[in-house]
Amino acid sequence: METKVHLTDLHTERQTWLKAMALSKDEIQSFENRLSEIVKANNQVEVTSMVEHFQNQFILQREVMDILIRDINASEAAMAKQVEANPVATEHKTAPDHVDLRDRAETFTNLFAELKAEFNKFAAKTL
């Protein structure tokens, strides 16, 4: 049985995800700046290999975010069309829950938190 959720709740959740993704992108930029500092301060082989590892991880995380943001925006656009087609009492309307999108957003959040912790540990050790 498909779960129905109020449109306003779906919209609010999607907006929260988009804000979290924007913050994550900013954090990655900050991490990349710290990587530059690390490389300048320490050019040992094991350090440079870890720098490359983190550079690759940051690229991958950006790609995942871009895809997720695209899918969230597409879901928002579909909901907006539904509301435009029938704008009466939209605050009471429901739609199928976006379980897949939620799972992907939560997975991203958890994996990004792990990467962030790993990077901070590395940066603390090398700076």
Side-chain angles (χ1 to χ4, degrees):
M1 185 162 105
E2 189 173 81
T3 305
K4 297 281 189 173
V5 180
H6 286 277
L7 295 181
T8 54
D9 294 338
L10 294 173
H11 173 72
T12 299
E13 189 171 36
R14 289 184 197 122
Q15 293 307 306
T16 300
W17 296 336
L18 291 172
K19 288 175 185 171
M21 300 283 164
L23 177 61
S24 296
K25 283 188 176 192
D26 288 345
E27 286 180 304
I28 288 174
Q29 183 61 52
S30 173
F31 296 158
E32 288 174 333
N33 293 341
R34 287 178 69 193
L35 279 177
S36 294
E37 294 172 18
I38 290 169
V39 168
K40 288 177 187 173
N42 191 336
N43 61 1
Q44 295 174 347
V45 174
E46 57 273 358
V47 172
T48 56
S49 72
M50 285 303 292
V51 166
E52 186 176 330
H53 161 74
F54 284 112
Q55 287 172 330
N56 291 336
Q57 287 300 308
F58 297 152
I59 290 167
L60 179 62
Q61 291 303 309
R62 275 198 182 102
E63 289 173 357
V64 169
M65 276 190 280
D66 289 345
I67 293 167
L68 193 51
I69 289 167
R70 182 199 66 209
D71 292 349
I72 291 168
N73 287 331
S75 183
E76 278 286 290
M79 185 176 71
K81 281 185 179 183
Q82 179 184 2
V83 169
E84 285 176 19
N86 189 1
V88 178
T90 57
E91 65 275 359
H92 300 292
K93 289 187 179 180
T94 60
D97 194 5
H98 49 213
V99 176
D100 179 56
L101 214 46
R102 183 178 299 112
D103 287 345
R104 290 172 51 207
E106 288 173 357
T107 298
F108 170 79
T109 300
N110 293 335
L111 292 175
F112 188 74
E114 289 175 16
L115 176 62
K116 191 161 76 167
E118 179 186 1
F119 175 74
N120 286 330
K121 184 177 177 182
F122 167 73
K125 187 173 80 172
T126 56
L127 279 178

